[in-house]
């Protein structure tokens, strides 16, 4: 005798104890009563044809179909969360732009804002052409350890666009970290080239090493380094260390802003000249926007880590 269902969710099912019914009839009533969609009737019809009337096989088929539907629902939720989180992370570009604009002198606001725009444009170009492929290309097709990815260039092949957007937002954030360091002392062409190069190669190598399933420090690799791998917390290593190191190197190459420590003749000033920012309001608003984004990054990166274990 099939089991009875007494909970409220099974009120659409016939009581198997009320009348005599065979196993096949009960399975069909179970599928038809599952939820409110009439599509479940098709499940029974499909499984009945596949199993050729064998009750156990029908039940096994129905279970597999329902599990597949549940898995697909989980994937859709993960994709939505990826899109949502990618938008929040990209919104941090607004905070960086406001903070940088408020920290520079008024005459350089337009220059700084344009550099922040180039961050997003250069990052999109570099990450689309090469960056994603070097970072995550082919990670679903092979299990061995690689230095960089070798497929999915120009977003060809199997690429989940929600995951792509999420990782692009992170790459753009790494580029923007350097924007404040180069404020008031870098030409536009050089800055655009740096943005493309950082997101097209430098950042992808770091991301591949720790976040890709083929990275030698990845915690999701088949054989993690030392059995554990590297656990990166919300991009603290991949994003912030990469951007911070790049900013340090760029600062060393460019040197100090003109007129701050030396006069026009190259003589050192006894007291460094102060270059105060022109807007405290923009600095404060930009800081709050970044705080807002950073807190969500910490939470949403955990979601992305869980999503890596779901087969896209």
């Amino acid at each position: 005798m099939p089991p009875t269902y007494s909970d409220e969710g099974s009120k659409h099912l016939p009581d198997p104890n009320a009348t005599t019914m065979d196993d096949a009839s009960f399975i069909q009533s179970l599928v038809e009563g599952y939820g409110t969609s009439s599509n479940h009737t098709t499940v029974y019809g499909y499984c009945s044809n596949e199993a050729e009337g064998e009750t156990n096989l029908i039940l096994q088929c129905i279970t597999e179909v329902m599990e597949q539907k549940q898995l697909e629902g989980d994937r859709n939720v993960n994709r939505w969360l990826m899109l949502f989180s990618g938008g929040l992370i990209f919104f941090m570009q607004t905070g960086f732009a406001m903070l940088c604009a408020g920290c520079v002198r008024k005459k350089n606001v337009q220059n700084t804002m344009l550099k922040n725009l180039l961050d997003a444009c250069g990052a999109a170009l570099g990450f689309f052409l090469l960056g994603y492929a070097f970072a995550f290309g082919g990670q679903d097709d092979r299990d061995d350890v690689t230095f960089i990815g070798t497929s999915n260039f120009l977003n060809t092949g199997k690429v989940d666009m929600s995951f792509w957007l999420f990782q692009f937002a992170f790459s753009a954030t790494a580029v923007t970290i350097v924007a404040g360091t180069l404020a008031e002392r870098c030409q536009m062409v050089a800055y655009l080239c740096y943005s493309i190069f950082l997101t097209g190669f430098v950042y992808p190598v770091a991301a591949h090493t720790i976040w890709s399933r083929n990275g030698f420090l990845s915690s999701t690799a088949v054989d993690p380094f030392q059995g554990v791998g590297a656990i990166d917390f919300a991009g603290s290593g991949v994003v912030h260390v990469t951007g911070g190191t790049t900013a340090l190197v760029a600062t060393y190459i460019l040197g100090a802003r003109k007129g701050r420590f030396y006069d026009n003749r190259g003589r050192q000033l006894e007291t460094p000249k102060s270059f105060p920012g022109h807007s405290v309001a923009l600095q404060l608003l930009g800081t709050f926007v970044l705080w807002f984004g950073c807190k969500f990054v910490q939470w949403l990166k955990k979601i992305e880590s869980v999503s890596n274990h779901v087969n896209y």
Side-chain angles (χ1 to χ4, degrees):
M1 176 66 66
T4 59
Y5 291 81
S6 59
D7 56 12
E8 184 179 356
S10 60
K11 60 185 180 181
H12 299 289
L13 301 180
D15 184 0
N17 294 323
T19 58
T20 302
M21 56 191 312
D22 56 20
D23 291 344
S25 299
F26 177 78
I27 293 173
Q28 183 173 11
S29 65
L30 177 65
V31 176
E32 291 176 350
Y34 181 81
T36 58
S37 175
S38 60
N39 292 334
H40 292 89
T41 306
T42 307
V43 175
Y44 174 78
Y46 167 79
C47 291
S48 180
N49 292 332
E50 290 293 319
E52 298 181 352
E54 292 290 334
T55 303
N56 292 336
L57 295 179
I58 293 175
L59 187 58
Q60 180 180 355
C61 174
I62 292 173
T63 302
E64 293 175 352
V65 171
M66 293 303 180
E67 289 178 349
Q68 186 63 34
K69 287 180 177 293
Q70 181 64 42
L71 180 60
E72 184 62 28
D74 293 342
R75 289 173 177 169
N76 291 334
V77 171
N78 286 332
R79 292 188 181 105
W80 182 87
L81 287 172
M82 286 287 182
L83 292 172
F84 178 69
S85 60
L88 285 176
I89 296 170
F90 191 76
F91 182 65
M92 292 175 65
Q93 298 286 331
T94 303
F96 279 115
M98 296 171 68
L99 181 61
C100 290
C103 289
V104 301
R105 291 168 289 180
K106 187 176 182 179
K107 66 176 184 177
N108 291 318
V109 171
Q110 183 176 355
N111 177 276
T112 299
M113 296 297 279
L114 182 56
K115 285 180 180 177
N116 279 271
L117 178 62
L118 291 178
D119 281 340
C121 297
L125 185 61
F127 201 69
F128 174 78
L129 294 175
L130 301 173
Y132 181 84
F134 286 157
F136 302 101
Q139 68 171 348
D140 296 327
D141 302 325
R142 54 193 302 179
D143 296 329
D144 57 327
V145 175
T146 57
F147 173 65
I148 55 177
T150 56
S151 60
N152 300 124
F153 294 95
L154 298 175
N155 277 14
T156 56
K158 182 182 177 181
V159 176
D160 187 273
M161 292 308 298
S162 60
F163 181 73
W164 186 94
L165 177 66
F166 183 73
Q167 291 297 335
F168 156 69
F170 266 118
S171 69
T173 301
V175 175
T176 309
I177 291 174
V178 192
T181 310
L182 306 183
E184 301 184 302
R185 48 183 169 164
C186 182
Q187 294 184 357
M188 292 298 173
V189 176
Y191 192 83
L192 180 60
C193 292
Y194 133 79
S195 299
I196 297 175
F197 179 70
L198 187 65
T199 54
F201 183 77
V202 178
Y203 170 83
V205 171
H208 181 85
T209 300
I210 298 180
W211 284 344
S212 172
R213 297 188 183 97
N214 305 122
F216 80 96
L217 291 179
S218 174
S219 61
T220 60
V222 175
D223 185 18
F225 180 72
Q226 295 295 318
V228 179
I231 306 298
D232 184 277
F233 182 71
S236 58
V238 175
V239 179
H240 297 95
V241 171
T242 301
T245 303
T246 305
L248 180 63
V249 174
T251 301
Y252 178 79
I253 295 175
L254 293 177
R257 287 179 286 180
K258 292 182 179 181
R260 178 163 172 75
F261 298 100
Y262 297 90
D263 60 17
N264 294 331
R265 296 183 180 182
R267 294 175 300 188
Q268 186 173 1
L269 299 175
E270 295 183 1
T271 303
K273 186 176 180 180
S274 178
F275 288 168
H278 86 285
S279 175
V280 177
L282 285 176
Q283 297 176 34
L284 181 62
L285 291 174
T287 300
F288 275 122
V289 171
L290 291 176
W291 278 357
F292 173 79
C294 284
K295 297 305 294 183
F296 272 94
V297 167
Q298 296 173 6
W299 173 63
L300 294 168
K301 187 57 188 173
K302 295 179 182 178
I303 296 176
E304 187 270 340
S305 298
V306 174
S307 299
N308 276 337
H309 298 281
V310 179
N311 294 325
Y312 280 92

